[in-house]
Amino acid sequence: MAAAASLVAAVGTVAGMVSALDGPEGGDVARPRVTRSPGLLPLPAVPTATSASASPGPSPSPSDSKTAKKNPQPAPRASTGRPVAPASTRLYRHTDSQVLDWVRANRSDPRRPLIESRIADRPAAVWFADFTPDTITSRVRAVTSTAAREGRVPVLAPYAIPERDCGGASEGGAPDIAAYDSWAQKFAAGLGSGEVIVVLEPDALSQTECLSGGQLSDRYAALARAGRAFKSANPRARVYYDAGHSDWNPAGAQAARLRAAGGASPASSDGVFTNVSNFNRTSAEVAYARRVLAAMGGPPSLGAVIDTSRNGNGAPPNGAWCDPSGRKLGQAPTLRTGERGIDAYLWVKLPGESDGCKGEPGSFAPDYAYDLAD
């Protein structure tokens, strides 16, 4: 994943801006891959409010990622003893994930202790990547109400924008803008009243080369509407829009797209997210996020969240984005970054879930997870 990312947003139309904002773009930049959506759990009661609550240059095409040769995995080795920062006690860890399924089913596996302690025990985003209008409210509410009862903050990644991934390995989403609007309204109805972080449609504002001018205007408007719907349904929801990452689009160009989609309006947005499913170092993303926020010209209350799930060693030098070797876990998820304007470090991409080279896109690959954690 060299220059793209993926997940969720909202905002209004800006007429006549398409040609000014979007010129020719580079090739297939690093993108997030589909992560399994949570299953439909028993519908909990709606909770009451609680106070606790990729690298520069062209990357392989999606077809390349599907046929890429899988690298042989080394046998489990002793941990290096690398220190791992404690995770935030306020972020929510969802109990329905592929890594937890694997841990429960493989108690005797020698890789299990490291994967469990350094990945499975960490809070991570819950992705909603399938277009299921009939159940989306119940599934979102199942997560938000459980988190509220525990006094924790869930991170949700809605990922159903039409023309998702421009037809690549993570293609899918709603069939059209009207269907997406309806889906987003139903998503909003599940947000409850507790604190919640929404990472709105990764890649939706960074990867747009497949859209016509009219389609892009429609996408901007749909994202703006989604953001407003989320914040109207739950004023404590914090909605972040797609800023790509520091090796993708220039900060000024990305800021223009964000403004067009409502990313600079407090009615729909709390700021931006960067580095989803990518590997750039946190310091580079902090500097880039600040440049984007400054160029957006929004209120000083807008901030940024950064995906640190796989950036412990930074981006690979050759621009590889599909399960590149030599990567490590990054900063543990936390809502206390100590950095001005940076609201959180999050694990949006679930470590160990493949980009499509060491397994099917979005599938859990234990050898890959072990290498990241070791």
Side-chain angles (χ1 to χ4, degrees):
M1 304 214 162
S6 82
L7 267 202
V8 77
V11 70
T13 56
V14 175
M17 294 289 287
V18 174
S19 60
L21 299 181
D22 293 272
E25 300 188 22
D28 182 26
V29 287
R31 300 185 304 277
R33 293 300 187 222
V34 171
T35 290
R36 186 186 71 183
S37 297
L40 179 58
L41 304 176
L43 184 62
V46 179
T48 56
T50 175
S51 56
S53 326
S55 357
S59 298
S61 68
S63 59
D64 291 334
S65 73
K66 292 179 182 178
T67 58
K69 189 174 181 179
K70 297 178 183 177
N71 296 325
Q73 297 298 311
R77 51 189 182 276
S79 168
T80 59
R82 210 165 38 86
V84 178
S88 166
T89 57
R90 293 187 61 224
L91 286 167
Y92 172 68
R93 189 198 68 156
H94 191 42
T95 56
D96 176 22
S97 69
Q98 293 183 84
V99 63
L100 281 170
D101 289 346
W102 183 88
V103 164
R104 293 165 186 145
N106 295 274
R107 302 302 299 178
S108 62
D109 192 298
R111 300 166 296 182
R112 192 269 308 164
L114 195 66
I115 291 174
E116 182 173 20
S117 63
R118 295 190 175 177
I119 297 179
D121 285 349
R122 299 299 173 106
V126 183
W127 289 62
F128 296 84
D130 48 351
F131 180 69
T132 52
D134 292 342
T135 61
I136 189 62
T137 300
S138 298
R139 291 188 296 119
V140 171
R141 185 177 295 157
V143 174
T144 58
S145 59
T146 302
R149 286 198 304 271
E150 295 179 5
R152 298 182 185 273
V153 182
V155 178
L156 311 182
Y159 192 47
I161 198 76
E163 302 295 331
R164 185 177 71 195
D165 198 27
C166 281
S170 295
E171 65 182 338
D176 53 48
I177 290 295
Y180 181 77
D181 284 343
S182 176
W183 185 87
Q185 289 285 344
K186 293 176 179 179
F187 189 102
L191 290 176
S193 57
E195 282 189 81
V196 57
I197 293 172
V198 179
V199 177
L200 183 58
E201 298 291 342
D203 287 353
L205 294 175
S206 298
Q207 185 190 17
T208 60
E209 66 273 10
C210 63
L211 303 178
S212 68
Q215 289 174 319
L216 187 55
S217 292
D218 288 346
R219 176 173 289 190
Y220 288 153
L223 290 174
R225 288 191 294 268
R228 290 196 300 269
F230 297 162
K231 294 187 70 64
S232 176
N234 179 357
R236 300 180 73 191
R238 289 148 62 183
V239 180
Y240 294 90
Y241 280 71
D242 173 35
H245 61 71
S246 57
D247 286 331
W248 204 345
N249 299 311
Q254 194 67 24
R257 299 180 186 194
L258 285 156
R259 284 195 302 271
S265 169
S268 53
S269 171
D270 291 271
V272 304
F273 63 85
T274 80
N275 211 41
V276 169
S277 296
N278 280 277
F279 308 92
N280 294 335
R281 292 192 182 277
T282 303
S283 57
E285 294 306 300
V286 167
Y288 171 70
R290 287 173 176 163
R291 292 196 302 273
V292 171
L293 289 169
M296 282 167 57
S301 60
L302 297 183
V305 299
I306 296 170
D307 187 351
T308 59
S309 58
R310 306 187 297 181
N311 73 346
N313 271 359
N318 58 358
W321 59 266
C322 187
D323 303 331
S325 61
R327 303 311 96 200
K328 297 297 177 186
L329 301 176
Q331 164 72 46
T334 181
L335 298 176
R336 298 178 180 177
T337 69
E339 290 281 357
R340 173 184 54 83
I342 308 301
D343 297 342
Y345 298 140
L346 304 175
W347 283 9
V348 182
K349 170 69 175 182
L350 281 64
E353 293 194 0
S354 175
D355 298 319
C357 290
K358 295 186 178 178
E360 290 298 313
S363 65
F364 182 72
D367 282 335
Y368 180 40
Y370 185 83
D371 286 344
L372 288 169
D374 190 27

